[in-house]
Amino acid sequence: MRCRPRRTITTVALIATSTLLSGCSGLKAGAPDAELTVSTTTAIIADLVEQVGGDRVDVTSIVPHHGDPHSYEPSPGDAVRVTEADIVFSNGLLLEEPGIMKMVHTNARKSAPKIEIAEKLEEYGGTVMKLEEDLGLDVLWLGWAVEGEVAGDGSQVRTTATKLDGPGELRVYLTDTLGKPKVYIDSADGLDASDSFTLPPEAHTHVNWAFSEPGTYRLTVEGQTETLDGKRRGIGSGTFTFTVGDDTEAPEGARALDDGHADVALNAETGKVYVRADGDKSGEPARLAADEVVLNVPDRAKAAVPKEGPYSFLGAAGDAVWVLPQAVIGKHVHGDMDPHAWADVANAGAYVRRIEAELIKADPEGKATYEKNAAAYLKTLGALDEEVAKKLATVPEHNRKLITTHDAFGYLAKAYGMEIAGFVVPVPNQEPSAAEVEELGVTVREKKVPSVFLEPNLATRADVLRRVAEDEGVGICTIYGDSFDDEVDDYVSMMRHNASELAKCLGEDA
C-alpha cells in the first residue's frame, strides 16, 4: 500500500532528523517508487496533483487539513520537505500567507520549478475575476497596500512607522484566525525599526487601527524593498493625517474619508505614498496624495478595550479606544484578483491541465501516465460540474444568497447563479456591540436567507454569525472553502458536499 503523505502532515515544531526518519514524510525515502517529489501549498492542490500524478508522484501539502492558507505559519519540517521537492505548486494570486511563499523561495532548490497555478489559469482554459470587497461598514475600512513590481522571486516591501504626532497612542494590529493579536505598530514605547511589517508586491492586507485618545494624529511611514539575499533599498516616505472623534476638525481644504474601503499605500516602483480609495463606477481606485486627504475615525468607532489578556497592549480593560476594524477573520493578504478560482469546477479543470503540463516538463518519461490520468480526471470533473450545477439549480432563485465567514465563494456564486449576500464579521475577538449584532441581523432578515454557512476551519471564530443566526431563527450549515478536514478530504467530495449542503439549506423547505 502506497503511503499517502498528503493526508495531514502534523506541523508541530519538527526537526530535520525526525522528518527524515518519518515513513510518510513525503520525501523520496518514504516513497521509493515515486519519480517526483512534489510539495504543494494547500491540500486542495495536493489532491489535484495526486490525481494527475498517480504513483509517479509523492505529494505533501505545506498547509495541513483544517489549516488556513491565508494565515498558516510554516514549520521547520515544512521547510525540510520543500528542500527535497523536485517541483513546488502553489495557487498564486496572493492566496498564500506571504511567509509560506518566502519559505518556498528560500528553501526550494533553484532547479525546482515553482509554479503558481492560478497566475496563468486563463492560458489553460480557466477564468479569473476581480476580488469584490464591500462589507458596508459604517466606518472607514482601512488597510495597507503595496503597488508596483519588485525584482526578484520572493522579494517583499517593508513599511516602517517612523514618527507619530498626536494626543495619544496608535496601535496597528491584526487578529489571526485563532483570536491572537499580532501587533505591527505600537507608539507607546516609541517607534523604531520593529514597528513595521512586510507585504509582497501588489498585495493588500486588513488590519485594526486603534487610537487611545481623540484628536489629530500624523503618522509618517517609510518603505524599502527586501530581497531574499538580504539587500534593501529605500523607496519613499509620506505622512498621513487621522482625525479621531467627532469634535476633531479636518484641516482646511483636505478631503475627508470616513467610509468605504481604502488603503495606506506605497508604490515600490515610483516611491510615492498615498491613499488608495474606492473609485468610481469604472472600478478604478482613486489614488490620493497623503497630504491631500484626512482619514476620519468618528465616535461611532469608539469601543472598549477587551478584557482578554492578549489585548492588554491596548490599555486597561474597559478603557475607551477608537478602532477602524480589520472586519474579516484572520490574516488576509491578497491582491486585486480573487484567488479562490477552484470554487468553480470548470476552473479546477484548468488547474489540472496546468499541473499535467508542468509534471510532463519535470518528468517527460511519465508523459503517457500524466496524460491518461489527467484525461480521466477531467471527465470526472466534467460530470461533477454538471452535478453541482444541477443540484444548485434546485435552489429557488429568491434563496440563492450566501452569507459566510470568509470571502471565498465568488467563483462558485458566479458559476452557479448564486449571490454573495455578505461575509461580514465584526471586529475579531472583541465583544460586538448591540448595533453590530443588529446590523448583521438586519442583513439576514432583509436578504431573507434560510441559512448561513460556516467553514470548518473558521467555525470557532464565527461566534457572532452563529449567534445572529440563532437569534434570527435561521439554519447554520457547513461549507468548505480553502481547506479540507477529517470528513471531507478531496476536491470532488468537497464540491459535492458544498452543492448538497447549499441545496439542502437554501431549498424551498429549508
Side-chain angles (χ1 to χ4, degrees):
M1 178 178 177
R2 186 167 73 88
C3 176
R4 293 171 65 87
R6 71 177 180 83
R7 307 297 187 196
T8 308
I9 299 295
T10 302
T11 54
V12 295
L14 299 174
I15 60 174
T17 302
S18 64
T19 306
L20 290 167
L21 291 176
S22 171
C24 292
S25 66
L27 303 183
K28 289 183 178 177
D33 56 336
E35 298 299 324
L36 289 177
T37 295
V38 181
S39 182
T40 71
T41 53
T42 73
I44 293 172
I45 296 175
D47 179 55
L48 300 181
V49 171
E50 194 169 61
Q51 297 297 334
V52 177
D55 289 336
R56 294 189 71 88
V57 301
D58 184 21
V59 188
T60 58
S61 171
I62 295 169
V63 180
H65 291 189
H66 303 278
D68 178 5
H70 299 296
S71 61
Y72 178 74
E73 295 184 4
S75 72
D78 296 323
V80 170
R81 287 187 284 277
V82 167
T83 66
E84 296 293 327
D86 298 306
I87 184 170
V88 182
F89 287 101
S90 62
N91 185 82
L93 297 181
L94 294 172
L95 172 81
E96 292 86 357
E97 199 281 325
I100 295 175
M101 299 312 299
K102 184 176 182 180
M103 183 272 287
V104 166
H105 287 292
T106 300
N107 291 281
R109 299 195 303 265
K110 289 185 178 180
S111 61
K114 304 164 193 68
I115 309 302
E116 298 185 37
I117 300 174
E119 298 287 347
K120 294 185 178 180
L121 204 63
E122 292 175 328
E123 295 180 20
Y124 293 84
T127 59
V128 293
M129 64 187 197
K130 295 201 72 169
L131 183 66
E132 300 293 338
E133 292 192 298
D134 181 11
L135 293 189
L137 298 178
D138 65 351
V139 295
L140 183 64
W141 189 16
L142 185 66
W144 290 94
V146 170
E147 296 192 314
E149 294 294 333
V150 179
D153 289 343
S155 295
Q156 300 195 82
V157 175
R158 180 173 297 279
T159 304
T160 302
T162 59
K163 184 179 181 181
L164 179 73
D165 293 323
E169 308 300 342
L170 167 65
R171 284 95 174 186
V172 179
Y173 67 99
L174 182 146
T175 305
D176 69 15
T177 310
L178 299 177
K180 292 175 58 179
K182 179 176 177 58
V183 182
Y184 293 105
I185 296 172
D186 187 344
S187 67
D189 55 359
L191 297 177
D192 55 31
S194 67
D195 293 287
S196 67
F197 62 93
T198 58
L199 283 175
E202 300 295 345
H204 152 91
T205 190
H206 305 299
V207 289
N208 302 286
W209 302 75
F211 298 85
S212 64
E213 299 288 342
T216 299
Y217 294 75
R218 291 181 174 83
L219 174 68
T220 301
V221 301
E222 293 182 353
Q224 63 179 188
T225 59
E226 296 183 353
T227 59
L228 289 178
D229 60 6
K231 295 180 180 178
R232 298 186 177 190
R233 178 178 64 87
I235 52 174
S237 65
T239 299
F240 298 89
T241 300
F242 295 81
T243 52
V244 178
D246 291 348
D247 294 332
T248 305
E249 295 184 0
E252 187 175 348
R255 174 179 172 179
L257 293 181
D258 59 6
D259 61 12
H261 191 285
D263 294 305
V264 168
L266 189 149
N267 192 299
E269 291 184 50
T270 66
K272 292 182 178 179
V273 177
Y274 45 85
V275 174
R276 185 178 69 177
D278 285 342
D280 55 25
K281 293 181 179 180
S282 70
E284 180 65 23
R287 292 172 176 82
L288 310 170
D291 58 359
E292 296 177 355
V293 65
V294 170
L295 304 164
N296 187 36
V297 189
D299 281 338
R300 61 180 178 271
K302 189 177 180 180
V305 174
K307 62 183 178 181
E308 291 86 356
Y311 287 84
S312 60
F313 69 92
L314 291 173
D319 283 356
V321 62
W322 285 256
V323 182
L324 297 180
Q326 74 187 63
V328 296
I329 287 176
K331 194 172 185 179
H332 207 56
V333 175
H334 58 75
D336 291 336
M337 307 307 292
D338 189 338
H340 306 90
W342 64 84
D344 175 355
V345 178
N347 269 344
Y351 277 69
V352 167
R353 287 186 286 271
R354 177 81 191 273
I355 290 167
E356 175 193 5
E358 298 299 340
L359 291 181
I360 290 172
K361 288 180 187 177
D363 176 26
E365 292 183 2
K367 183 174 185 290
T369 297
Y370 300 138
E371 289 179 341
K372 179 181 177 181
N373 290 347
Y377 192 57
L378 286 170
K379 286 184 179 179
T380 298
L381 292 179
L384 177 67
D385 194 16
E386 293 180 4
E387 179 184 339
V388 171
K390 184 177 180 180
K391 188 151 287 187
L392 292 182
T394 67
V395 177
E397 189 170 346
H398 62 273
N399 279 359
R400 295 182 184 180
K401 301 177 179 71
L402 285 175
I403 293 182
T404 69
T405 50
H406 172 212
D407 56 337
F409 303 99
Y411 287 93
L412 184 149
K414 184 176 181 181
Y416 304 108
M418 309 291 288
E419 174 193 343
I420 302 299
F423 54 93
V424 178
V425 181
V427 185
N429 218 53
Q430 291 190 24
E431 184 66 22
S433 67
E436 288 171 329
V437 173
E438 174 61 22
E439 185 177 354
L440 188 51
V442 167
T443 300
V444 172
R445 288 196 298 274
E446 288 183 348
K447 296 292 185 179
K448 298 180 180 178
V449 296
S451 300
V452 300
F453 295 86
L454 312 184
E455 294 168 74
N457 66 318
L458 299 180
T460 58
R461 303 303 316 139
D463 296 340
V464 173
L465 186 54
R466 186 181 291 104
R467 172 179 159 186
V468 168
E470 291 171 349
D471 289 346
E472 298 298 325
V474 303
I476 301 172
C477 299
T478 301
I479 192 169
Y480 290 82
D482 295 331
S483 181
F484 297 147
D485 65 7
D486 297 336
E487 300 296 323
V488 173
D489 63 358
D490 66 80
Y491 177 77
V492 171
S493 297
M494 178 181 82
M495 294 306 296
R496 279 184 175 148
H497 168 91
N498 286 353
S500 296
E501 191 84 341
L502 288 167
K504 178 185 73 174
C505 297
L506 299 178
E508 195 68 70
D509 299 327

